[in-house]
Amino acid sequence: MRRCHGKVLSLTLVALMATSQSGNAERLYKWKDENGVVRYGDRVPPQYAKQDVKILNEYGVVVQEVEGVKTPEELAAEAAKREKEEAILREVEAKKQYDMMLLETYSSVAEIEAERDRRVSAVDAQITQANRQIRLLQSKIARLELEARSYGASQQNAATIIPEPIVDDMEESKLALNDYEAQLRGFYVAQADLRLKFNGDMVRFRELKRASR
């Protein structure tokens, strides 16, 4: 059945081209109907005008392709595909630029390791300072809480009345403590990221040097 259908299709194409040639070499069009079946003719029926159409010469060779009207879904899919391809190209270019930077900045793995240690030590200093401030604030808050309890105890059964300056100082100290603790967490994350980055740089530097030999 498939061979018979192919023969009928070929004969139809030959007949249409012969008709086209006899009619001052009019164009021959190729399209698909709603069932996906390939059709040929000297004109495209109106119901298929928005579909992709191919124009053939007298030898049955496609000489032009006319793109049909795309649906919003097709346009969105094409835009997403282009965006993905562009993102890949940007990533490749960024990697290329980073490789060049590594080779231009460092002459050995030892230099990368030294820079890593220098940057990590700088963050160490920030961690030390943050811990110092945290300890000071913790001591201050403990002192203020003790002072507040002592003041309240003197009131015996009356409601505890803590002076406003003590309350304000305690609130400000607790807020500052929270800020320093958040900074400390950030410093530890930054330090880990630095080690990861520079260790990756050392691996990549070795690869680039081996490839250049």
Side-chain angles (χ1 to χ4, degrees):
M1 289 295 292
R2 290 182 179 177
R3 291 181 179 177
C4 179
H5 179 72
K7 290 180 179 179
V8 171
L9 191 61
S10 298
L11 290 171
T12 301
L13 177 57
V14 170
L16 286 168
M17 287 195 300
T19 303
S20 175
Q21 290 174 356
S22 63
N24 294 325
E26 294 180 358
R27 290 182 172 182
L28 181 64
Y29 298 91
K30 176 183 177 182
W31 70 93
K32 289 183 180 180
D33 63 18
E34 61 276 6
N35 298 316
V37 178
V38 176
R39 302 292 184 182
Y40 297 89
D42 59 356
R43 65 179 59 85
V44 180
Q47 63 268 35
Y48 305 120
K50 293 184 178 181
Q51 295 184 7
D52 291 349
V53 175
K54 295 182 179 180
I55 302 174
L56 287 64
N57 62 14
E58 63 271 23
Y59 303 106
V61 177
V62 176
V63 295
Q64 185 181 351
E65 294 188 17
V66 180
E67 196 174 73
V69 178
K70 290 181 171 56
T71 64
E73 292 77 12
E74 290 173 331
L75 291 172
E78 287 186 357
K81 182 181 178 182
R82 284 195 303 271
E83 185 176 346
K84 184 177 180 180
E85 291 173 347
E86 289 170 0
I88 292 173
L89 289 175
R90 287 194 299 269
E91 184 178 349
V92 170
E93 183 60 25
K95 190 173 183 299
K96 180 181 177 182
Q97 293 296 324
Y98 196 82
D99 287 347
M100 291 176 60
M101 181 277 296
L102 279 177
L103 294 173
E104 291 173 357
T105 305
Y106 305 105
S107 60
S108 67
V109 172
E111 286 187 6
I112 301 176
E113 191 172 11
E115 178 64 14
R116 179 200 63 190
D117 294 343
R118 186 186 69 79
R119 298 276 293 276
V120 168
S121 294
V123 179
D124 269 334
Q126 292 176 308
I127 290 173
T128 299
Q129 178 63 19
N131 275 320
R132 179 176 177 276
Q133 292 298 324
I134 287 170
R135 287 193 299 271
L136 289 173
L137 286 166
Q138 287 172 336
S139 297
K140 182 179 181 180
I141 290 169
R143 177 178 56 78
L144 289 169
E145 287 177 343
L146 182 62
E147 185 178 353
R149 284 196 299 270
S150 299
Y151 188 86
S154 68
Q155 306 298 317
Q156 297 179 353
N157 296 328
T160 300
I161 301 175
I162 304 173
E164 187 174 342
I166 295 177
V167 175
D168 291 343
D169 199 3
M170 189 179 300
E171 289 179 353
E172 291 176 2
S173 297
K174 287 181 177 179
L175 288 173
L177 177 62
N178 290 336
D179 288 342
Y180 275 108
E181 288 175 340
Q183 288 180 30
L184 183 62
R185 290 192 294 270
F187 291 147
Y188 281 122
V189 171
Q191 196 174 63
D193 288 344
L194 279 172
R195 288 195 174 97
L196 186 63
K197 172 192 176 299
F198 279 98
N199 290 344
D201 286 349
M202 285 188 283
V203 171
R204 183 57 181 165
F205 186 85
R206 291 188 184 99
E207 291 174 349
L208 293 170
K209 284 298 184 179
R210 282 197 298 267
S212 64
R213 290 175 184 171

